[in-house]
Amino acid sequence: MPFLLLLLLFPLLLLLLFLNVATFSFSRLGMSPESAFLFLTASIIGSTVNIPLSRRRVLVRERRAFPFSLFLFYYPPVVQERVIYLNVGGAGLPALLSLYLLLGGRAPLIPSLFALIIVTIVAKAMARPHPGVGIVMPAFIPPLVAAAAALLFSPPGQAAPVAYVAGTMGTLIGADLLNWRAIQNLGAQAVSIGGAGIFDGIFLVGVIAAFIG
């Protein structure tokens, strides 16, 4: 019985451990532990919240044709609404925190810009449009590239905020914004910027960034 109880509680213990580590990481960016925990909680909850940015009605055609006669066929048009959303947890909140770090002087502008350009190039190269889903990319790529670029360009003691700004904004720009045309041409009826395969990478940026400070 105790073993079964421990087995049932094990996922919860892992979640609590991850939240504690993540809270410590975000607090290294200049946030209080309480603020870091609230930001993390808001990010996780916000990953389920999408704000509509664009609505477009598109015409598609059914595969089956209805014959008028022996030689004439009619393909009835089907109208669908394609909506592009902004994911709060994967795009909105990280952008606000990045702006806070830049305006507050925690992330120096020039090193952050250089590191951001590198992450943007890599994210653009690695991101792939996935029909019916959106833009996806390996979650571990943005944190590792952002960490390396921050260590290369940032002054001592400021690598963590530079890595966060470069990792989050570089991922959003390279993976999502630079693939805007591809997003609009995807078969998905709903596409979320900062969602799908992008949220995981952006979330991991904040966790990993603090450990290089």
Side-chain angles (χ1 to χ4, degrees), residues 11-60:
L12 179 60
L13 294 176
L14 285 180
L15 176 62
L16 292 176
L17 177 62
F18 175 77
L19 285 176
N20 285 331
V21 172
T23 299
F24 169 76
S25 300
F26 276 84
S27 66
R28 293 281 300 274
L29 296 175
M31 307 170 68
S32 66
E34 295 79 10
S35 298
F37 180 79
L38 289 175
F39 182 83
L40 276 171
T41 304
S43 296
I44 295 173
I45 296 175
S47 66
T48 65
V49 179
N50 293 290
I51 301 173
L53 295 180
S54 170
R55 294 180 182 272
R56 187 177 64 165
R57 297 180 70 82
V58 295
L59 289 176
V60 296

Side-chain angles (χ1 to χ4, degrees), residues 38 57 63 76 85 95 102 136 176 180 188 207:
L38 289 175
R57 297 180 70 82
R63 295 179 181 177
Y85 295 93
L102 287 170
V136 296
D176 279 339
W180 183 259
V207 176

Side-chain angles (χ1 to χ4, degrees), residues 18-199:
F18 175 77
L19 285 176
N20 285 331
V21 172
T23 299
F24 169 76
S25 300
F26 276 84
S27 66
R28 293 281 300 274
L29 296 175
M31 307 170 68
S32 66
E34 295 79 10
S35 298
F37 180 79
L38 289 175
F39 182 83
L40 276 171
T41 304
S43 296
I44 295 173
I45 296 175
S47 66
T48 65
V49 179
N50 293 290
I51 301 173
L53 295 180
S54 170
R55 294 180 182 272
R56 187 177 64 165
R57 297 180 70 82
V58 295
L59 289 176
V60 296
R61 294 186 182 276
E62 288 187 351
R63 295 179 181 177
R64 192 178 65 173
F66 296 92
F68 271 148
S69 64
L70 185 61
F71 301 104
L72 298 177
F73 293 85
Y74 171 62
Y75 293 85
V78 178
V79 179
Q80 292 182 348
E81 185 179 56
R82 186 168 300 160
V83 186
I84 297 179
Y85 295 93
L86 176 74
N87 186 270
V88 173
L93 291 177
L96 290 177
L97 180 55
S98 296
L99 186 63
Y100 166 77
L101 294 174
L102 287 170
L103 296 180
R106 296 185 179 276
L109 179 60
I110 301 302
S112 298
L113 181 61
F114 285 144
L116 186 149
I117 291 173
I118 291 178
V119 177
T120 298
I121 294 173
V122 174
K124 171 62 176 160
M126 297 294 297
R128 294 290 182 268
H130 196 287
V133 178
I135 303 296
V136 296
M137 68 178 297
F140 61 88
I141 294 295
L144 296 180
V145 175
L151 290 173
L152 181 63
F153 293 110
S154 63
Q158 294 182 304
V162 169
Y164 184 85
V165 172
T168 55
M169 300 310 298
T171 301
L172 287 173
I173 295 172
D176 279 339
L177 296 185
L178 292 184
N179 284 301
W180 183 259
R181 185 176 298 274
I183 290 176
Q184 291 181 316
N185 294 330
L186 287 174
Q189 294 182 358
V191 179
S192 179
I193 296 176
I198 304 301
F199 171 77

